[in-house]
Amino acid sequence: MRALTGNQFTAEGTAMRTLSLIALLAGAVAAASLSGEQILDKMDGNRDHRTVTADARMEIHIGDEVRSKNMRIKGMTDGNRSIVEFTNPEDEGTKYLMLEDNLWIYFPQEQEVVRISGHMLKDGMMGSDVSYEDALEADQLRNKYDVSVVGEQTYNERPCYVLELNATTRDAPYYKRKMWVDKETFVAWKEEMFAKSGKLLKEATVLAADTIGGRHFPVKTKMEDKLRRNSHTIFEMTNVELDKPLDEDMFSMRYLRR
Amino acid sequence: MRILKRSSAATPLLCIVLAACTVAGQGLTFSGSMISDLMLLHNYRAEAGDEADFSGTGRLSLTFRNTNRRYGKVEGDLEVVTLYGVAAEAAAPESPAGFGALAANGAARLFSLGNAPVLLDLRRLYLEFYLPFADIAVGRQIVNFGKGFVFSPIDVFTAVDVFDLDLRRRGSDVATVRVPFGALSGLDATVELPVAGNRFSAAAKVFATLGAYDVSLVGIYRHPGEDQMAGREGVIGATFKGDAVVGLYGELVTRLVEGQRDIYPEAMIGVDYSIRNRWILRAEYLYSDYRWNERAWGEHNAFVSVQYIANDLLSLSANLLYDFEHDIALGTALARYNALQNVNLEAYVRGFSGITQLPYDFAYGVRAEVSF
C-alpha cells in the first residue's frame, strides 16, 4: 500500500504517477462534464467494499493535552454493521455495536449493554470530536442530500471539485456540507459541515489515503468540532483489510457481550 | 467473611488462575486501577456539636481475561481494599454492623496492617464457553436484567450499590445460558447458585429489538429454601428502552407471593436527554408496592441527575436519590478532571439524610485514580 498525502507521491509511486497523469488526461474531457451525483458515485467507489477490518487510533487534542484511544474495527457494508472494541488500558474491553442507525455500548466491568438514545448520537464518541452520528453515517449522502458542483479549487496542491450538498431529509445530520474532492482519486480531502443558520459546525480533513485494491481509502483524518474551542481529533487506521471474509454473527448482541 | 463463605470454591479457583498466569507468562490480559479516596465525614447534628472524622479507602482493582476468547472466556475482577480512619475502626470484627458493613462494602477481611484492615473483594470470577447454539457462563458475574440506571425492580440478582460513588453493582454467583434467536433477540436464563438453606432465584428473559425500542419479557422464580417464614415467589415483568424525543425506558413488574392473595406491582420509568453535547439530564421514578418481604425502597422513590461536560477533560455532575416514604435522601456533587491519559482526579460532596447505618450528614472527599 502506498501512502498518498495531499501533495506528494512516494518515490516508488513514480510509475503510478505517470499512469495516473495519463489517465487524468485521457479522462479530462469526461471529468469536466461530471455531475455532482457522478462525483459522489466515484467517491463511493473508493468505499466500495463489502467488509473492512482495521486497527485504529483516535488522538483527541484538547489544547496542549492529548488523549488517545486504540481500537479494533470490523465492519460490513451490507446493513451498515460494525463492531468496535477498545484496546487502550482505560477502556479495555469496551465495545460498540452499530447496526443501521442503532448503537449499543458494552461495558465489560459492569457486564452491561446500554442502548445509546437518539439524542446522544450527536455527542462526541469517547470524548472526541467525532460524534456517534458521524461514525454511523454510511454511504448515504445521495439519499439525504442534493449535490451540485459549485466550482474547482486547488487544495494542498491537488486539483479538486468543490461540491455543495444541501439536506433533503430531516434526519440528515448536517443542513449543508461543502466538499473538496480530488479530481483524480475522488478522495474528499476536506469537508465542512454547516447548520441551518450557516454556522460552521465541523471540519474534516483527510491527512492521508492509502491505495488498497485499486481504491483510494482515507486512513488518516482530522476532525474539528467548531463548537469546541481549541479541540480536534485525529483518527488513523492501520492494517486495513478490505473484503476480508467476516462472520456475520459477530454483529450481534451475543458477540457484543462476549 | 461473607464473600469467602458464599463462594469457597472461588479462592482456590482464583489461585489456580493466577498461578497459571505466573507460570505461563501469557494467556491472560490484565488491566486495572488504583483508587485512593480521602474523606472528611461531618456530623453537624451531634449532641456535642459539630463532629468531623477522617476516613478513606485505597482500592487496587485488577481485571483479567484470557487473550484468546474465540471458544471461551475466563474473566475476573479482584479488589484489594485498605480502610483508613473511622472506616477502618468500623470494619473491625468487633464493631457492630451498620457503618462497618458500608465501609467494607461486602469485602472480606484478609488481615490487618497496623490499624488498617486489608479486605479482599472478588467482584467477578467466571468462566464462559461458546457452544454453537448457546453461550454458557458459570461463576460470579454481574447480571443486568433491567434498564434502570439506579432503580430496577426486575434486577433480583445484582442491584446498584447506591453508596458506591460510581453506582456499581456487586457480583452474584450464578449460572447463565444465553440462546440467540437472531442478531438482536434471544433468551437469557439465569439461576442463582444455592446459598445457605438452599435459597435461590431463577430467571428467564426473552428480548428483542422492535423498531427503535429494545424490549424484553422476564419471568423470575424465588425459592425460599429452608426459611419457614418465607414463601415461594413468582415475578413477571417487562422492560423497554428507546427514543421518544427523549430517551425513554421503563420496567413493569408484578410479584406473586405464596400464601398471599394480593399481587404486588412495581414500576420504574426513566428519561434521559442531552443538550448541545454539554448537558446530560436523567430522571427515574420507582413505584414499589412490595409489602411482603423487607424491601430496599419505599413506595415512591426518585432519582435525578445532571451532568455538565465543560470540555473533554472536565465534567461536573450532581445527583439526588430520595425515598419519599422513609424520608431518606442521598445526594452527590462531583467534579471530575482527566489530569493525564490514565489519571483522573475527583472532588465530591455527599449528603445523607435518614440513613440510620450512617451516623454522618456529609462527606467531603477527594479521589485519585490511576489506570493501567
Side-chain angles (χ1 to χ4, degrees), chain A residues 67 110 118-119 127 228 254, chain B residues 123 131 144 243 272 312 338:
Chain A
R67 302 288 181 266
E110 297 295 310
H119 62 83
R228 300 179 175 199
R254 181 187 191 188
Chain B
R123 194 160 169 263
L131 300 175
N144 282 287
D243 289 304
D272 60 59
D312 298 300
N338 180 220

Side-chain angles (χ1 to χ4, degrees), chain A residues 57-58 60-70 81 85-95 97 99 101-104 106-129 131 199 202 225 227-233 248-249 251-258, chain B residues 29-32 63 65 69-70 73 75 77 123-124 126 128 130-135 140-144 146-148 167-169 178 180 182-185 187-188 205 207 209 211-214 241-243 245-248 272-278 280-282 311-313 337-343 371-372:
Chain A
R57 179 179 172 87
M58 190 160 60
I60 305 163
H61 294 252
I62 311 122
D64 295 330
E65 300 283 341
V66 181
R67 302 288 181 266
S68 61
K69 311 278 182 185
N70 300 323
R81 296 176 276 183
E85 180 172 358
F86 286 84
T87 56
N88 54 292
E90 302 78 29
D91 306 301
E92 170 83 33
T94 302
K95 294 181 195 169
L97 172 66
L99 297 178
D101 294 336
N102 300 299
L103 176 65
W104 295 265
Y106 174 69
F107 298 100
Q109 295 274 2
E110 297 295 310
Q111 290 182 265
E112 183 178 19
V113 175
V114 176
R115 182 190 178 94
I116 297 298
S117 302
H119 62 83
M120 290 186 177
L121 292 180
K122 292 189 187 299
D123 291 347
M125 198 163 69
M126 302 296 268
S128 74
D129 300 86
S131 70
K199 186 180 179 68
K202 286 189 179 179
D225 186 338
L227 299 180
R228 300 179 175 199
R229 279 183 292 183
N230 214 13
S231 164
H232 68 270
T233 299
E248 293 192 25
D249 287 342
F251 305 103
S252 65
M253 201 60 66
R254 181 187 191 188
Y255 191 88
L256 182 66
R257 295 191 285 180
R258 283 185 176 178
Chain B
T29 302
F30 287 86
S31 63
T63 300
R65 60 179 69 92
R69 298 191 293 276
R70 184 175 179 182
K73 181 167 72 172
E75 188 170 50
D77 280 331
R123 194 160 169 263
R124 294 187 303 151
Y126 69 97
E128 188 174 64
Y130 311 132
L131 300 175
F133 56 90
D135 294 351
R140 179 158 301 171
Q141 308 161 56
I142 296 174
V143 181
N144 282 287
K147 299 297 181 189
L167 297 176
R168 298 185 306 164
R169 298 170 189 258
R178 290 197 288 266
L184 298 175
S185 60
L187 166 72
D188 289 353
K205 178 176 80 170
F207 63 92
T209 296
Y213 280 82
D214 292 344
K241 182 168 186 184
D243 289 304
V245 182
V246 298
L248 187 65
D272 60 59
Y273 194 68
S274 62
I275 303 172
R276 293 181 176 274
N277 302 344
R278 283 279 184 262
I280 299 176
L281 311 169
R282 183 188 300 274
N311 54 48
D312 298 300
L313 303 179
Y337 180 64
N338 180 220
L340 296 165
Q341 170 74 28
N342 62 335
V343 177
S371 304
F372 54 85

Side-chain angles (χ1 to χ4, degrees), chain B residues 32-61:
Chain B
S33 64
M34 177 70 196
I35 298 175
S36 284
D37 273 286
L38 301 176
M39 287 175 283
L40 190 67
L41 302 177
H42 181 200
N43 181 358
Y44 73 88
R45 291 178 290 181
E47 289 183 1
D50 270 3
E51 286 183 0
D53 293 314
F54 168 74
S55 181
T57 61
R59 187 172 83 216
L60 172 65
S61 294

